[in-house]
Amino acid sequence: MMNVSNWNEVIRLKRETIFLRLAVLVIAIPIIAICVFALPFIWRQTAENGGWVEASIHPIIIGMYVAVVPFLIALYQAIRLLGLIDRDEAFSYASVRSLRFIKYCALCITVVYIATLPFFYQFAERDDAPGFMVIGLILVFASFVIAVFAELLQKLLKRAIDLKQENDLTV
């Protein structure tokens, strides 16, 4: 039988994970909206104008569409991880697996945006807008930082699970 303090702890954890799930949703909705509305609009506008803008923007838009797939997979894995936390299974190999997926997704996003950097440079050079190149670098840097952070969490969690199992065996 659970006492009142245990129930308060469960309710508090679920409140925190609900907030984090909402945060994931708040992140996902604008990205999906950009892919559905903004990117096709930009594609059409540059196709009508043609020229060098089309040649440098279209590969960037394609890269964004390619990068959104691992991004959404990573968000799904984050929601799975929050579900494991809700069920009190945070220290499990399923959590390690979710963090590994998040790491690989972030690395995929990094590779995609590194591949689009020449087009960011081409657009920034032609339009004399160095800030546009900075946007490309920020996308690469942010996704790489997330990959490194997920790798760190994955290693720490695996080490904690191994220590927990070792302690369980010594008792």
Side-chain angles (χ1 to χ4, degrees):
M1 187 168 145
M2 294 185 76
N3 61 22
V4 174
S5 65
N6 286 348
W7 278 108
N8 287 337
E9 183 69 21
V10 168
I11 291 170
R12 186 183 63 77
L13 277 177
K14 289 195 178 185
R15 254 191 247 147
E16 289 172 355
T17 58
I18 286 173
F19 173 74
L20 291 173
R21 287 173 198 255
L22 286 174
V24 168
L25 192 63
V26 165
I27 291 169
I29 289 173
I31 298 299
I32 293 170
I34 287 171
C35 286
V36 171
F37 300 112
L39 293 181
F41 176 77
I42 294 169
W43 185 280
R44 281 191 306 274
Q45 290 297 321
T46 56
E48 289 173 5
N49 295 340
W52 67 268
V53 175
E54 180 181 11
S56 57
I57 289 291
H58 284 185
I60 294 171
I61 292 173
I62 291 169
M64 289 179 169
Y65 276 121
V66 170
V68 83
V69 174
F71 179 77
L72 293 175
I73 292 170
L75 289 182
Y76 171 74
Q77 291 298 323
I79 289 194
R80 275 191 69 216
L81 190 59
L82 291 171
L84 291 169
I85 292 169
D86 277 345
R87 291 189 305 274
D88 229 5
E89 298 173 13
F91 291 99
S92 66
Y93 286 107
S95 297
V96 173
R97 195 172 25 250
S98 288
L99 285 169
R100 188 179 319 122
F101 270 111
I102 292 170
K103 173 186 70 173
Y104 288 141
C105 289
L107 286 174
C108 286
I109 294 168
T110 301
V111 168
V112 167
Y113 283 125
I114 285 174
T116 62
L117 276 181
F119 300 104
F120 275 95
Y121 177 76
Q122 182 184 16
F123 184 83
E125 188 70 25
R126 294 253 183 151
D127 202 34
D128 198 25
F132 196 72
M133 184 65 189
V134 172
I135 291 170
L137 291 172
I138 287 172
L139 292 171
V140 170
F141 181 72
S143 57
F144 186 71
V145 166
I146 290 170
V148 170
F149 187 67
E151 170 71 17
L152 243 167
L153 285 177
Q154 178 189 345
K155 284 184 179 180
L156 287 173
L157 187 60
K158 187 169 180 345
R159 190 174 302 149
I161 292 168
D162 291 343
L163 283 173
K164 182 179 180 271
Q165 287 179 344
E166 186 178 306
N167 286 340
D168 289 345
L169 291 174
T170 58
V171 173

